[in-house]
Amino acid sequence: MPRRPRRPLHPETPAPTRSTSARSIPPPHRYRVPLPVILAAALVVTAAAQAATVRVRDGSVGFAYRVTLIPVNGTVNAVQSSDTTLDFAALRRTRTTVTVNLAALKTGIALRDEHAREALDARNFPNASFTLENFSGPERLPDGQAVQGDVTGTFTLRGVPRPLKAPVTLTRRGNSLNVQATFTVNPQAHGVNVKGGDTSTRVTVNLTLAP
């Protein structure tokens, strides 16, 4: 009697074939961030890196005044400021108050210094100040460059505040900012009355804000 062929103990079953088309294999999910969002984030990071708290580290204020047509020039080197957040990528956001100690006023003659401080009533109002409220000019200031603009704010002398607008030149050196400004004030408008005194005083400012 003929023998039947033995079946293999583990028959090989061909694996079912599957389609490898793009429809059957979904592509990996990718999150695409719009380019404007990326640029905005980069600007925020850059601005944060450039912002710093600064104060006046070196400053002087000069003035040119006349009494009975006699020129009286002087300087004050005692200049301070409130803590200021300076952002070179957003100059218009800068706000600060700069104060000048009138007790340090020098005209070159000690007796004249005393008379000037008396006219300014420096005993009761020891400081002149300027509070910056707005800067009009370029928004950004790259390192090593200078820009020009205008500052507006409140100038206070002898306790009397008056609005003030002045042109300024801003120069950046690393994280420091040099500020130069020239403007005129009317002493009488602040209650400073000197017999024969001029109605216009030329003021020059040169100061550096740095961390």
Side-chain angles (χ1 to χ4, degrees):
M1 195 176 170
R3 295 183 179 181
R4 295 180 180 179
R6 295 182 180 180
R7 295 181 179 180
L9 296 177
H10 302 285
E12 295 183 0
T13 304
T17 59
R18 296 183 181 181
S19 174
T20 57
S21 64
R23 293 183 179 180
S24 60
I25 302 178
H29 187 66
R30 297 179 180 179
Y31 294 93
R32 295 184 179 179
V33 181
L35 181 59
V37 175
I38 297 176
L39 294 177
L43 289 175
V44 170
V45 172
T46 302
Q50 292 179 332
T53 300
V54 298
R55 301 188 71 180
V56 171
R57 300 305 179 188
D58 183 25
S60 64
V61 174
F63 63 90
Y65 185 57
R66 292 188 303 175
V67 180
T68 317
L69 301 180
I70 299 175
V72 178
N73 299 326
T75 59
V76 181
N77 293 323
V79 183
Q80 298 180 338
S81 72
S82 59
D83 286 339
T84 305
T85 300
L86 177 62
D87 189 345
F88 290 109
L91 292 176
R92 295 180 186 177
R93 298 179 183 177
T94 304
R95 297 291 183 272
T96 189
T97 296
V98 177
T99 59
V100 177
N101 186 352
L102 299 177
L105 181 152
K106 301 293 182 183
T107 66
I109 300 176
L111 182 59
R112 190 167 59 189
D113 296 347
E114 289 295 331
H115 291 166
R117 285 192 284 267
E118 289 176 4
L120 296 171
D121 196 7
R123 178 170 296 183
N124 294 316
F125 305 100
N127 294 322
S129 67
F130 174 72
T131 299
L132 173 64
E133 297 169 0
N134 184 56
F135 170 73
S136 176
E139 184 72 8
R140 300 174 180 275
L141 180 54
D143 189 10
Q145 295 190 19
V147 298
Q148 294 181 335
D150 294 306
V151 292
T152 55
T154 301
F155 177 72
T156 303
L157 179 65
R158 207 174 185 271
V160 180
R162 290 286 185 267
L164 176 67
K165 181 178 181 179
V168 295
T169 298
L170 308 178
T171 304
R172 179 183 175 185
R173 298 184 181 90
N175 291 327
S176 67
L177 178 70
N178 178 258
V179 181
Q180 294 180 324
T182 301
F183 54 92
T184 59
V185 296
N186 183 348
Q188 284 84 343
H190 296 271
V192 180
N193 298 301
V194 178
K195 186 177 181 179
D198 203 348
T199 58
S200 178
T201 299
R202 183 172 180 265
V203 180
T204 59
V205 177
N206 190 341
L207 57 87
T208 298
L209 295 167

